[in-house]
Amino acid sequence: MAITKAEIVTWLEKITAVIQENKDYLTQLDSPIGDADHGINMSRGFTKVLEKLPSVADTDIGTILKTTGMTLMSSVGGASGPLYGTFFMRAGTAMAAKQELSGDDLYTLLQSGVDGVVQRGRPQLQDKTMYDALLPAVLALRAALDNGSSIHAAVETAVAAAAKGRDDTIPLQARKGRASYLGERSIGHQDPGATSSHLILQALLDSLENQG
Amino acid sequence: MAITKAEIVTWLEKITAVIQENKDYLTQLDSPIGDADHGINMSRGFTKVLEKLPSVADTDIGTILKTTGMTLMSSVGGASGPLYGTFFMRAGTAMAAKQELSGDDLYTLLQSGVDGVVQRGRPQLQDKTMYDALLPAVLALRAALDNGSSIHAAVETAVAAAAKGRDDTIPLQARKGRASYLGERSIGHQDPGATSSHLILQALLDSLENQG
Amino acid sequence: MKKLINAIDDVVKEQLEGMAAAHPELRINYDPKYVVRADAPVKGKVALVSGGGSGHEPMHGGFVGVGMLDGACPGEVFTSPTPDQMYECAKAVDGGAGVLFLVKNYTGDVLNFETATELAHGDGIQVQSILVDDDAAVKDSLYTAGRRGVGTTVLIEKIVGAAAEDGYNLQQCADLARKVNQYGRSFGMALTSCTVPAAGKPTFDLGDDEFEFGIGIHGEPGRERYKMKTADEITEMVALAIIDDGAYTRTVREWDNDKGEWFEKTLTDDPFQAGDEVIAFVNSMGGTPVSELYAVYRKLAQVCEAKGLKIVRNLVGPYITSLEMQGFSITLLKADDEILKYWDAPVKTPGLRWGA
Amino acid sequence: MKKLINAIDDVVKEQLEGMAAAHPELRINYDPKYVVRADAPVKGKVALVSGGGSGHEPMHGGFVGVGMLDGACPGEVFTSPTPDQMYECAKAVDGGAGVLFLVKNYTGDVLNFETATELAHGDGIQVQSILVDDDAAVKDSLYTAGRRGVGTTVLIEKIVGAAAEDGYNLQQCADLARKVNQYGRSFGMALTSCTVPAAGKPTFDLGDDEFEFGIGIHGEPGRERYKMKTADEITEMVALAIIDDGAYTRTVREWDNDKGEWFEKTLTDDPFQAGDEVIAFVNSMGGTPVSELYAVYRKLAQVCEAKGLKIVRNLVGPYITSLEMQGFSITLLKADDEILKYWDAPVKTPGLRWGA
Ligand SMILES: Nc1ncnc2c1ncn2[C@@H]1O[C@H](COP(=O)(O)OP(=O)(O)O)[C@@H](O)[C@H]1O
Ligand SMILES: Nc1ncnc2c1ncn2[C@@H]1O[C@H](COP(=O)(O)OP(=O)(O)O)[C@@H](O)[C@H]1O
Ligand SMILES: [Mg+2]
Ligand SMILES: [Mg+2]
Ligand SMILES: [Mg+2]
Ligand SMILES: [Mg+2]
């Protein structure tokens, strides 16, 4: 079954909820290797997204995602603001005018978002950033869809890949963002951005109630 | 027996020693009702006095005490600096040219010193200051001498009166100096200046080795 | 205790050496310690000298310069300086028009400056001495050593410094200083204590959820202790303690330069009144960042407006501090034309500078 | 956490309101947040805009005024501002001669300012963007996000601000900013951590006998942690980390205003050399009193002299801070005639003022 607009709206609501739940946790992760604000930043941004949602819920999926991106862009700040902002704006542009999404659409949505992150932040794999969770997830989704998985199963695989990518940031020495200033002291800590990226994908999975 | 110049020099040395031993204690007393520096101030001053002593030990008692006063005046600072400075300068002026002291001389020495404290600081009894230890001590000395006590015994009485005066500062509400700003919160604390005054008189007693 | 210091006994000396290195427009003497304008004495100008314990920087040494102090005498940390410093400093700055001592009302400062006044007079220097006693946290003068000298000191040094630069004679400077003192009132609070280097540990202990209300500037505890409140609540308490403060009467000692003796003078400060124009000064105790001072200023402006006081000038920053203490004080100074004229006049010192 | 704040979400807004109340010469916009000169836009003058997380006061808002910035965009505490703030601010200050963005090299600031640059360009505003990356605590740029923008930011804003006032065009302002950045190096240390209001507890824990070496300005831990040392030892470590720092090469992005695209530029900063004249800037991280800064300056002057560097100007005080953090940073800036001319030029802002 196709992913409905309602599920996309639910996705954004669930992101807000899960970010709220994990606000302190994300901020704690950002303490030893950052400036202790990632949870605060994300919570501020998605609280605004939730406020804006009703006004665009009746439009199309592209507009909903673009509005989300612009809202994050103008409310999150920090490194994650323009990155997630670009992620959702690009995803929205790619989904312009759509009222529902196929599995391939979902792949394009996520792939476009990740492309946006790469263009803005120029992360490489193993730099210890959100990209280490996002890229494996998108690749896993593609592979699963290619192997004939259902959308739900494919997203499940993607979430697992994101979780693994998140965990794999722990032993890495950061080469991008604030954590890079710590040099070897960044080793042994989980990247907050990779953690929030996993939560965002987990929220997607939790929203796909209608998918088999 | 008369008090010798050597005993007066010993007195100043013993003050320095006892102030040094009680430096932290005096400073602690100055914490709850002052600015935590009385021991530091007194120690700085008497360390300088000890340095100066050899250069005047061969002069007369008046000069030795005046030099002590001027040294305290220019090295202690705070409230206690000009008060103890004046104390010893006035005491020195009163003992001008003397090489030894009778019991009456000793009374005049202390009484002149206390007069100096009163003129500078204008304390009244029960203001919770050094005066509450000094005045009873001088009065007790006078009374003991009048009753025919030996110098040693009279000073013993004076030290006991100073100790009582010091202890009696505890329940008082301060009306002079920094402690007065605390209003009722100054009640229940022993006055640092009264404490150092008692130590100075105790050192006098300890120096009167030749007195019966 | 963690501080950027070397040996404890050298703290004040080395800080002065750093100041001298950074400010060639100052001349610093080390034995005894005083700071003067490099061009001192300025011929024919009344010289202003203040001093007090160290630990209140930039006050007083940082206020030496054109349009403010001619000399400053730093004592040990939180300990008033000694008469020989004040006397030598007075000799170094006297340009023939006399020296005005500006003395914060602490027993130590008062007693030491009194001795110095007598010494300077004995030396033939024209000298006057004005007491700063503006701390509204001290209620009466009968049962205390009287109101402490706090925030208004900075404003007096600026205003009378400009007047001296403008040619006021010694008597005029003293009269202006007395007036500014009588027009100004202050009140302070602390979020944390501070540590005197020689003591090695904080002067008082304060719970993680408490603040001290009505502190001075020497790390001494305040008159009361409260559970923590919001910036608005605290600012309102502090502001009202100043604005609603009644008339204050006390007897001060001033020096009769002709007779060479002290005389007593009874002074009464009137309360603020709706319609008064004021200079508002929000001061950091040292460890409070200027951002939080602006939160205080915001509420202060609201309270002043509600009370009918018109803020016509302001100063926000760390100017009279207690080492690294967190907290703030507010000073309100009733402003008239003379005061505003000399407030606006140029000043060029390490700690306060404009128009030059 | 004890701070002079009200509701955590209103901290930045209320501090700006206080600033607006205290400084009528500034105009403050709240949605989105930016601070501009009340007389903005100044016709025909290049407009300087900077911005970054709040918590570094007086930077940047306190540096808005004649001879320095035209506009500043404050983010949440320690969080870079957003592109809409920068874009709206640029529109408010553009007097037709273009806008120069001065961007501290933090991923957040860089990414947000890049977006704003594209937006402003799209709107027909002439715009250039110069990165400040002067933190010698960051060794390489290959394996990190590159050197952070720290103390030199203050000096750039002062110097380029004066040049803009003097009629420099956009390209000249950008070239001067790039030069000053390449001539300046900084290094910071912390005695204590600091608490972001929204986080409620200190960013890192530091033992009573430890200090952090090589910190940035966001309360982040430094590169190393040492047992406590004397002021002289610490100052020497910090000074030598700057003076002995080798050549630094990295690739930066600048905006091609004609083509409307980013281009890359490889820049190499040369090490200091004996004989260089320098501006020495000793900065408090917020909670360290100026008295301790002078102890640092004292030793810094000695180290510079031993290394053959001639300090020709200095600045000592809290100018680029990390909330209430105790600690300091040193910035050395190689000075040539152009730099000295614009350093000495008048400046009139809440945070830095002389000659006006
Ligand atoms: N250049 C980059 N590319 C991709 N992600 C990045 C980059 N720099 C930082 N990040 C991500 O941003 C996260 C930090 O976000 P946040 O704490 O909100 O911003 P800031 O670092 O400005 O405080 C990091 O954990 C990392 O995942
Ligand atoms: N007016 C006064 N007359 C007499 N003694 C005083 C007076 N004021 C203060 N003292 C004494 O001085 C002591 C404090 O000395 P010290 O701590 O050295 O100076 P400061 O109070 O300036 O820090 C008090 O404990 C008190 O005994
Ligand atoms: Mg962060
Ligand atoms: Mg004391
Ligand atoms: Mg003292
Ligand atoms: Mg941040």
Side-chain angles (χ1 to χ4, degrees), chain B residues 26-27 30-31 33-39 41 78-80 178 192, chain C residues 78-79:
Chain B
L26 292 172
T27 298
D30 198 27
S31 281
I33 58 168
D35 58 349
D37 65 357
H38 187 57
N41 294 343
S80 54
R178 272 177 210 296
Chain C
F78 290 173
T79 298

Side-chain angles (χ1 to χ4, degrees), chain B residues 20 25 59 79 81 96 102 108-109 128 131 134 137 141 171 173 205:
Chain B
Q20 210 51 43
Y25 174 58
T59 61
S102 66
T108 306
L109 181 163
K128 195 177 182 117
Y131 186 60
L134 290 174
L141 182 81
Q173 175 168 336
L205 180 63

